[in-house]
Amino acid sequence: MRLIIAGDFCISSDSFTNNIIDPSVIELFKNSDFNVVNLECPITQKNDANKILKTGPHLCGDARIFEILKSLNVRAVTLANNHIMDYGNIGLIDTIEACKSVGIQRVGAGKDIDEASKTLYVDNDDRKVAIINFCENEWSTTVLNDMGANPLDIIDNTRQIRDAKQQADHVLVIVHGGHEYYNLPSPRMQKLYRFFVDQGADMVIGHHTHCMSGYEIFKGVPIYYSLGNFLFMGHSQYDDWYEGLLLEININDGKISSLLHPVQQHKKKPKLELQ
């Protein structure tokens, strides 16, 4: 089995353009069995009445995003991030329904904590991979019966990892967290991600920082602290904004390995290509 995990992805409704993905990127994705992208904007109408109270921008995309995701053979999106609830409950509902309509699976958010914390299982022949997705607590996370994203909670996340370890051959933990625009993990994040390895994660993958944040091998397990942006439309004063990593995961004969593919967004024109 071959999987590709990508970082932060958002094309706002007012910045959408066609032919933004270079054929080399499309080819890489098409040669993979299961591709996952972090969808960091609700797919909904840009209605100010639905905006939640928060700091920072309110992100919003429309159904044209799925044209790009389908061209990349994306099979699932992670929704546990700090922007998925920017347009409230209706924004998340619209996003979930849009994913269903195009046959893209989702993980990391839902109508309540039970749905948001469900693990996504990927089967291929005799191998089963679990994908767990959660995010740091900002404006999007859920509690009890509220809609929202699966929160970073060390007790609940430990239970999710241990349960997935009982159900699957390999467990991938995808975390949306860390310090934006800082290209090293904090001691807190390093301690936390290493703890997830101790609980049974076969790989820990981060995004959210909008820059690459390094990786390490801990007790034989890769930890990628942030893949950076995959494709995030908009201009930034930070050069790191325009560079990211695609994580290729290969599972052969029960062994899991990984390979990184650098990607780059152009600053002056809407284009994403392999470096």
Side-chain angles (χ1 to χ4, degrees):
M1 185 189 300
R2 175 181 294 173
L3 306 91
I4 289 178
I5 311 294
D8 299 334
F9 175 83
C10 175
I11 305 176
S12 60
S13 302
D14 53 4
S15 63
F16 190 90
T17 182
N18 292 315
N19 302 318
I20 193 171
I21 309 291
D22 188 80
S24 61
V25 180
I26 294 175
E27 187 69 17
L28 178 66
F29 274 79
K30 285 193 172 181
N31 287 330
S32 176
D33 301 304
F34 199 92
N35 302 321
V36 182
V37 168
N38 179 51
L39 180 59
E40 198 164 356
C41 55
I43 308 303
T44 189
Q45 293 291 324
K46 196 173 185 178
N47 186 342
D48 287 347
N50 295 330
K51 286 182 176 180
I52 64 170
L53 182 63
K54 55 167 283 188
T55 60
H58 289 75
L59 303 182
C60 178
D62 60 45
R64 292 175 295 177
I65 276 182
F66 290 109
E67 297 174 13
I68 292 180
L69 294 180
K70 296 297 279 188
S71 73
L72 293 169
N73 190 32
V74 169
R75 301 282 299 279
V77 289
T78 51
L79 297 181
N81 55 66
N82 58 301
H83 284 287
I84 197 61
M85 294 296 291
D86 279 4
Y87 283 80
N89 288 357
I90 187 64
L92 179 57
I93 292 170
D94 287 348
T95 304
I96 290 173
E97 291 304 313
C99 288
K100 289 180 179 177
S101 69
V102 296
I104 289 180
Q105 299 180 74
R106 68 191 189 281
V107 62
K111 64 183 179 182
D112 54 29
I113 185 62
D114 289 336
E115 184 175 296
S117 61
K118 282 185 177 178
T119 298
L120 176 63
Y121 291 98
V122 181
D123 289 286
N124 188 342
D125 298 326
D126 62 340
R127 308 309 299 174
K128 189 173 186 179
V129 177
I131 299 176
I132 299 171
N133 177 221
F134 46 83
C135 64
E136 289 199 277
N137 295 274
E138 293 190 51
W139 305 276
S140 66
T141 52
T142 176
V143 293
L144 301 176
N145 295 319
D146 294 337
M147 298 193 72
N150 188 23
L152 194 162
D153 180 292
I154 194 167
I155 295 174
D156 290 343
N157 301 149
T158 293
R159 289 173 177 156
Q160 292 160 17
I161 294 169
R162 290 181 177 179
D163 179 68
K165 197 69 174 179
Q166 297 295 318
Q167 308 295 325
D169 300 293
H170 305 284
V171 177
L172 307 180
V173 175
I174 303 179
V175 190
H176 194 78
H179 301 279
E180 289 188 335
Y181 313 117
Y182 192 69
N183 60 8
L184 291 172
S186 68
R188 176 182 68 90
M189 301 306 290
Q190 186 180 55
K191 184 178 181 180
L192 184 64
Y193 289 17
R194 287 179 172 183
F195 177 78
F196 292 144
V197 171
D198 288 335
Q199 304 315 303
D202 294 290
M203 199 170 295
V204 182
I205 305 143
H207 37 58
H208 171 61
T209 61
H210 299 299
C211 65
M212 296 176 286
S213 297
Y215 73 94
E216 67 169 327
I217 306 297
F218 177 69
K219 296 183 179 179
V221 174
I223 301 176
Y224 297 94
Y225 286 100
S226 178
L227 299 179
N229 285 338
F230 172 46
L231 176 59
F232 216 101
M233 295 295 289
H235 297 287
S236 174
Q237 61 180 315
Y238 300 100
D239 290 341
D240 289 352
W241 176 278
Y242 299 95
E243 298 178 343
L245 297 167
L246 298 175
L247 176 62
E248 177 185 332
I249 300 171
N250 290 284
I251 301 173
N252 295 300
D253 297 326
K255 297 180 179 179
I256 187 169
S257 62
S258 55
L259 177 67
L260 292 171
H261 300 274
V263 290
Q264 183 168 24
Q265 301 177 70
H266 283 251
K267 292 183 180 181
K268 296 183 180 180
K269 60 180 180 178
K271 194 72 175 180
L272 175 76
E273 59 188 11
L274 290 174
Q275 287 187 285

